[in-house]
């Protein structure tokens, strides 16, 4: 009998799940459903199209229709799932062509990859038109159109990764950009305050105005938002952009009595199964445990989405695969500076009542005498009892991402700070220093532990 | 009583040893002896000065006289050690000022950091003048002077790292360069033939003529060498450069009955002690075990030299430190391409009778849609029984060194290929692909193991 595998969502995790299922089950009918017009594009690339680094939004489509055809995946775009009926194993769906009727779509295995949606706090006037966000291709096109129609200034609410990447892109397009952040630092989920400060300085040098400890209180304007009131002050801008963060899209799951976890994302086990038979959840809508705290997390990163998708798809296709957990390694490029994180920040460790020793080392990305060397700063977070590395943050001009990957491997393998201090590293004058700064940071921690 | 710690050699490992000893023993007299005029310069930088990347040879001096003064290290340049007398714990030394007499220098602890010297095979005519090599600052200055006097072509014998980095530098200075290599591939100690081929193509595109399987048989010319005979063919060049490799400088140790090991470098234990009481050996003249085969190696890399120096110096200073062993991680930049290696190549594994599975993945250094992405190729070498990674090679346009460092951490921590396939990696469109190619290579090996 031909099995029917249905995936709700056709972005990173959903497509990865479908493709993995196809590898394991050559005959199954595999259907992907998305309410979006375009499937298989890179959301992470959106700020870089706006910034002008990538010529067109269309370039972000990494899975063109031909991919789905070749993999024999049936893609249904502009289709809404209205309900998941776990008892009779069907979905209630609604197409764009027939918006007044619904139909039932049976599944043998369901993968929920509904992603996340921009979060809007309960701010006065939030129902007004003209508040942008940046989650979908259409969102990007709207911002781009506004710039082309003459927008000269932007106010971004939220200093997370998306807000700041977008802010940098808007500056590159010639706009005057102000970022408003409620917390006393930028990138609060991503970096400790000391490391975030370095990024903030760079952004300010590039002309972004950053207002910390600033709470948005009201959206101002007749029907169209033209300004916000924040900390009592009126901030006007041609473009008002909400980047308060995203929340897991769990409405469908909740209504179908599929359990959510403590992070308010969908609860999963190591196979990425939900608490409901034959239903998996992956990507930005799903929980997975932290490799360090072992508590559920919902890191909402593309790399985690594809890994979870692959595991769920492999299982959905009848094979066996486990998802180990997340370190939430992430990296960003903002103008000329790169910032990355893996594992826990010092702040996150303290929140989890883990005692840590930290050290920060400043170095260069090339031999001191080699022209073009850029500064780099590495912070290590080490658990006090085991002396294992549990987190790392890097801010620097180049070669940041792969250092974080190396430290991610180190954390994953339970590397102690002593082991890192003795690690064998490569060296060439145009590419790095003789003493790798990651190793120097480890030595600094050893000294603190003595 | 004030201890006297004497270090023979004032390059990477010797200086690191002296500085580490100083940290542990604030009162000891610490004396560094070198026969060179200049101490504390980066040998690895020499090809890049010749290539014009670094303005002057003087820029390579990373430890200026002020460093030695500040650390209270007595530096004696242009001083030759004629003999090590282990019984009465003295050195016989000869200064430039008094070349006809020798004097005794007592030591409580001795660190041998004599380095290595260019190797010249027993080729007919090798005593003739005008055969260059590149080991010291003076060697570099001579080559530079020859170029300034109008040398238009160079013949480099040996396609190892130094030969090729120098070859690239000479091309950048406008010379016509030919490299002659006895073996059927370039970089035989560094890369497998398949990976070396990629570098060879790049070098050839940049104009270097590479002659493989070519044996130098004779140096031609009256008293001054003006050509070599290789495979029966006469190859003329304005600059004839020997880059056959280096050999550990062990003459002094041998004469003092300090044991050499199977690699013909000085035998050491994990404290970097020789078989002789109170005598340490570090750097290019010393052996250390491979972390993989556990057999002695003599990798002769700057990063290993400083690590060994630090361990020996810490012990010499009265504290305790062990050197774990080497993976011989190394990286180089040749024109627009970077190449790196850690652990064993496939060839080296086979030579050690280790059964391996390998996989090579081609990818890009940025998201496929992000302009400026450069190709990158990663080869993993995995031990068949344990499924642990034991080696990796990378050739690519950027972000190569830190990937090798990450894989070095992985190997050091005993990471299995399954663990690498599940690793948590960072991603941002301008900096890397969603699926990190190291992870993809691991998956390819998993498929082969199935």
């Amino acid at each position: 009998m031909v099995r029917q595998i249905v995936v709700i969502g056709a972005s990173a995790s959903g497509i990865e799940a479908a493709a993995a299922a196809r590898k394991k089950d050559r005959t199954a009918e595999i259907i992907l459903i998305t309410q979006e017009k375009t499937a298989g594009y890179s959301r992470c690339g959106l700020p870089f199209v706006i910034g002008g680094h990538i010529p067109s939004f269309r370039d972000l489509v990494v899975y063109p229709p031909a991919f789905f055809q070749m993999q024999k995946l049936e893609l249904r775009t502009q289709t809404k799932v209205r309900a998941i009926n776990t008892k009779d194993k069907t979905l209630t769906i609604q197409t764009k062509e027939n918006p007044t009727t619904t139909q039932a779509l049976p599944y043998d295995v369901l993968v929920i990859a509904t992603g996340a949606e921009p979060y809007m706090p309960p701010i006065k006037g939030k129902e007004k038109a003209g508040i942008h966000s940046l989650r979908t291709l259409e969102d990007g096109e709207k911002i781009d159109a506004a710039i082309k129609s003459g927008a000269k200034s932007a106010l971004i609410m939220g200093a997370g990764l998306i807000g700041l990447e977008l802010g940098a892109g808007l500056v590159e397009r010639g706009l005057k950009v102000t970022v408003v952040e409620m917390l006393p630092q930028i990138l609060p989920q991503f970096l400790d305050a000391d490391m975030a400060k370095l990024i903030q300085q760079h952004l300010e040098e590039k002309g972004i105005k950053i207002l910390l400890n600033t709470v948005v209180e009201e959206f101002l304007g007749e029907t169209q938002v033209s300004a916000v009131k924040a900390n009592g002050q009126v901030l006007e801008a041609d473009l008002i952009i909400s980047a308060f963060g995203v929340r897991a899209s769990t409405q469908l799951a909740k209504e179908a009595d599929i359990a959510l976890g403590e992070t308010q994302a969908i609860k999963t086990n190591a196979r990425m199964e939900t608490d409901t038979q034959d239903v998996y959840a992956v990507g930005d809508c799903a929980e997975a445990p932290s490799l360090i705290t072992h508590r559920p997390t919902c890191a909402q990163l593309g790399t985690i989405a594809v890994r979870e998708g692959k595991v769920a798809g492999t299982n959905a296709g009848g094979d066996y695969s486990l998802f180990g957990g997340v370190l939430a390694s992430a990296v960003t490029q903002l103008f000329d500076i790169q910032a990355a994180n893996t594992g826990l920040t010092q702040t996150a460790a303290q929140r989890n009542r883990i005692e840590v020793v930290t050290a920060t080392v400043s170095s260069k990305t090339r031999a001191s005498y080699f022209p073009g060397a850029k500064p780099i700063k590495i912070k290590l977070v080490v658990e006090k009892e085991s002396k294992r590395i549990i987190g790392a943050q890097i801010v620097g001009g180049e070669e940041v991402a792969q250092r974080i990957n190396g430290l991610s491997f180190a954390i994953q393998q339970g590397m102690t700070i002593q082991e890192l201090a003795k690690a064998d590293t490569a060296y060439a004058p145009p590419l790095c220093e003789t003493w790798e700064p990651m190793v120097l940071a480890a030595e600094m921690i050893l000294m603190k532990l003595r």
Side-chain angles (χ1 to χ4, degrees), chain A residues 58-354:
Chain A
R58 294 293 126 187
D59 294 329
L60 299 184
V61 178
V62 282
Y63 295 103
F67 165 83
F68 297 95
Q69 283 157 22
M70 248 177 47
Q71 298 272 315
K72 292 196 179 141
L73 306 173
E74 187 188 332
L75 175 66
R76 300 194 190 174
T77 55
Q78 292 180 288
T79 301
K80 273 193 176 143
V81 177
R82 286 294 178 201
I84 301 169
N85 318 294
T86 57
K87 270 178 202 140
D88 64 1
K89 295 180 81 170
T90 63
L91 301 181
T92 306
I93 62 170
Q94 191 179 47
T95 62
K96 207 206 164 195
E97 292 78 45
N98 294 305
T100 51
T101 62
T102 61
Q103 48 186 117
L105 177 71
Y107 66 80
D108 295 298
V109 183
L110 178 68
V111 180
I112 304 176
T114 43
E117 56 220 44
Y119 168 69
M120 172 60 79
I123 297 168
K124 195 175 162 191
K126 74 184 172 74
E127 67 292 341
K128 290 183 179 157
I131 305 173
H132 289 271
S133 58
L134 184 59
R135 175 76 188 171
T136 66
L137 213 60
E138 286 71 27
D139 292 340
E141 286 169 340
K142 277 181 204 159
I143 292 172
D144 190 60
I147 299 170
K148 284 173 176 155
S149 317
K152 295 277 176 263
S153 61
L155 180 87
I156 298 172
M157 299 169 288
L161 280 174
I162 295 170
L164 295 185
E165 287 179 355
L166 176 56
L170 293 173
V171 167
E172 287 162 334
R173 288 287 288 278
L175 275 75
K176 210 172 144 284
V177 174
T178 302
V179 175
V180 170
E181 168 62 47
M182 189 178 69
L183 295 172
Q185 70 164 91
I186 63 165
L187 297 169
Q189 304 299 315
F190 182 57
L191 297 176
D192 285 322
D194 52 344
M195 297 296 277
K197 192 81 196 163
L198 302 171
I199 306 288
Q200 186 182 335
Q201 281 160 1
H202 185 68
L203 296 176
E204 286 170 343
E205 277 164 28
K206 294 287 181 180
I208 296 185
K209 189 172 171 186
I210 297 173
L211 304 172
L212 300 176
N213 300 301
T214 302
V215 180
V216 176
E217 292 146 350
E218 191 178 347
F219 293 103
L220 306 174
E222 285 300 303
T223 52
Q224 190 80 11
V225 172
S226 59
V228 304
K229 200 166 88 185
N231 282 15
Q233 200 188 343
V234 174
L235 303 167
E236 291 186 352
D238 299 336
L239 263 171
I240 306 281
I241 299 165
S242 154
F244 290 108
V246 294
R247 293 289 178 274
S249 297
T250 54
Q251 189 67 19
L252 280 174
K254 234 188 306 192
E255 287 170 4
D257 277 332
I258 295 166
L260 304 190
E262 60 186 75
T263 71
Q264 295 309 309
I266 302 169
K267 208 175 190 168
T268 60
N269 64 17
R271 294 185 65 153
M272 298 312 296
E273 287 174 312
T274 67
D275 73 334
T276 303
Q277 180 90 32
D278 296 324
V279 179
Y280 296 85
V282 293
D284 291 359
C285 66
E287 275 187 350
S290 156
L291 280 171
I292 296 163
T293 66
H294 307 297
R295 305 293 312 155
T297 64
C298 185
Q300 294 167 327
L301 293 164
T303 41
I304 293 174
V306 294
R307 281 169 174 72
E308 291 177 347
K310 190 165 209 165
V311 166
T314 301
N315 291 319
D319 206 341
Y320 175 84
S321 184
L322 296 187
F323 184 73
V326 307
L327 290 177
S329 308
V331 63
T332 185
Q333 167 112 35
L334 296 163
F335 300 110
D336 311 326
I337 213 167
Q338 302 170 4
N341 168 58
T342 185
L344 299 190
T345 59
Q346 184 174 7
T347 313
Q350 283 158 351
R351 200 187 308 125
N352 281 279
R353 300 171 55 74
I354 296 172

